[in-house]
Amino acid sequence: MEPTLSQYLLVSGALFAIGLLGVIVRRNLLIIYMSLELMLNAANVALVAMSRFNGNLDGQVMVFFIITVAAAEVSVGLALIVALYRKRQTADVEDLATMKL
Amino acid sequence: MEGTLFNIFAGLTLLSAFMVVANPFSRNPVTSAMFLVTAMISISGLFVLLGAYFLAAVQILVYAGAVMVLFLFVIMLLDLREAARRKLNLISLAMGIMAVGALFSVYKSSLESTYGEAPQQHEAANTGQAEAKPAKVVGSTRALGQALFSKDNGFILPFEIVSILLLVAMVGVILLSRKEPR
């Protein structure tokens, strides 16, 4: 029994939901960042599944670009976290509430 | 066969993704990073099932290789032992699960209304053109390269822009992580 498009999209949606849960619930900046990666990958799974079941390779080219941009994004984001840690000695979002009213 | 593999990889993906987010046994970020590796590898298994062989290889190279090394370096650099001791707020976890579960059920029901009954109607409408169903593409390195660099409708300009983006990201990272920003 070959899996259908909607099964793949369901997995992708569940993966996205788990990533969103991590962003909402966790308070550690690094874990939030990992959850963001999970959400990005959920979008990738959906794109590849669409590309497969519609017979068009453009979706996979898009995923290729997304992976490249995600790598750049991770490096910049982690550098920002390191710079923040140097300034504030914390990687916990509860301690970074300067802009809270 | 394919269905079994799909179940294995999908289950492994979701399980390890959940372990990244809310591991009941450990608060250590290194454990989360290791589960992120399993999640990425099983996602690349899903890519193989979808015929995207090149992307599966790139996924493992980039995520399980480069991104994971970066994450582990930063975890090492930051010394998060105190953060590991903080407990996860159970009320906020329950509220988060409820909110995200509501969002996911909306997504699921919309998916079911799109793909649930529609295929039968759709196929009943055009049983004559069953051949019109698109052929399944295979994302081998050759096919993807041809799609990327074909002269008439390729992605040559985005490719060059991405290379500039990588250069800018590299310079930005060096600038951000310098000891004494002037």
Side-chain angles (χ1 to χ4, degrees):
Chain A
M1 180 59 195
E2 203 178 329
T4 59
L5 174 59
S6 62
Q7 277 175 297
Y8 278 108
L9 291 184
L10 200 64
V11 169
S12 143
L15 195 59
F16 189 89
I18 291 173
L20 188 61
L21 182 72
V23 173
I24 292 174
V25 170
R26 293 306 295 262
R27 287 286 161 262
N28 187 334
L29 266 178
L30 278 168
I31 309 266
I32 290 177
Y33 220 68
M34 289 178 201
S35 311
L36 276 177
E37 291 304 309
L38 284 178
M39 287 160 81
L40 221 55
N41 272 285
N44 283 354
V45 171
L47 276 171
V48 173
M50 294 283 194
S51 143
R52 169 75 162 179
F53 287 94
N54 288 314
N56 192 339
L57 212 55
D58 284 357
Q60 296 194 11
V61 175
M62 183 119 186
V63 170
F64 176 70
F65 283 123
I66 290 176
I67 289 177
T68 323
V69 174
E73 176 241 336
V74 164
S75 60
V76 174
L78 287 177
L80 278 173
I81 291 176
V82 169
L84 189 72
Y85 190 81
R86 274 210 196 111
K87 239 189 168 85
R88 297 287 196 81
Q89 301 300 317
T90 180
D92 193 295
V93 287
E94 298 278 338
D95 300 336
L96 305 169
T98 326
M99 285 173 72
K100 209 172 176 179
L101 282 176
Chain B
M1 179 61 191
E2 212 170 309
T4 323
L5 279 177
F6 171 79
N7 287 338
I8 290 171
F9 283 130
L12 205 59
T13 305
L14 295 182
L15 185 74
S16 41
F18 191 77
M19 290 302 239
V20 171
V21 169
N23 191 336
F25 309 111
S26 160
R27 286 273 84 83
N28 196 339
V30 178
T31 337
S32 289
M34 287 305 151
F35 276 113
L36 190 62
V37 174
T38 18
M40 293 308 170
I41 288 172
S42 37
I43 286 172
S44 84
L46 285 180
F47 283 178
V48 168
L49 282 183
L50 285 166
Y53 305 120
F54 177 71
L55 286 180
V58 165
Q59 174 92 0
I60 287 184
L61 278 182
V62 172
Y63 279 106
V67 169
M68 203 41 55
V69 170
L70 262 180
F71 265 114
L72 289 177
F73 259 132
V74 171
I75 290 170
M76 227 166 55
L77 217 63
L78 294 197
D79 185 30
L80 296 169
R81 255 169 292 161
E82 197 196 338
R85 249 180 272 126
R86 290 197 190 196
K87 293 281 281 182
L88 198 59
N89 190 349
L90 274 181
I91 298 171
S92 79
L93 182 65
M95 296 306 258
I97 286 178
M98 266 161 63
V100 172
L103 197 71
F104 179 67
S105 63
V106 170
Y107 174 78
K108 192 163 179 271
S109 65
S110 79
L111 206 63
E112 271 159 9
S113 66
T114 313
Y115 292 102
E117 305 93 49
Q120 285 100 19
Q121 295 172 3
H122 192 254
E123 267 164 41
N126 51 5
T127 37
Q129 313 138 305
E131 293 85 1
K133 206 177 168 195
K136 297 213 166 124
V137 290
V138 173
S140 61
T141 312
R142 185 195 185 96
L144 212 63
Q146 275 166 350
L148 198 57
F149 296 118
S150 69
K151 227 174 209 158
D152 40 351
N153 54 357
F155 295 84
I156 300 170
L157 183 63
F159 190 83
E160 297 298 333
I161 292 173
V162 157
S163 69
I164 293 175
L165 174 82
L166 285 176
L167 177 68
V168 170
M170 197 168 75
V171 174
V173 167
I174 293 170
L175 199 71
L176 280 172
S177 53
R178 240 181 358 176
K179 200 102 201 172
E180 275 296 300
R182 257 169 261 148

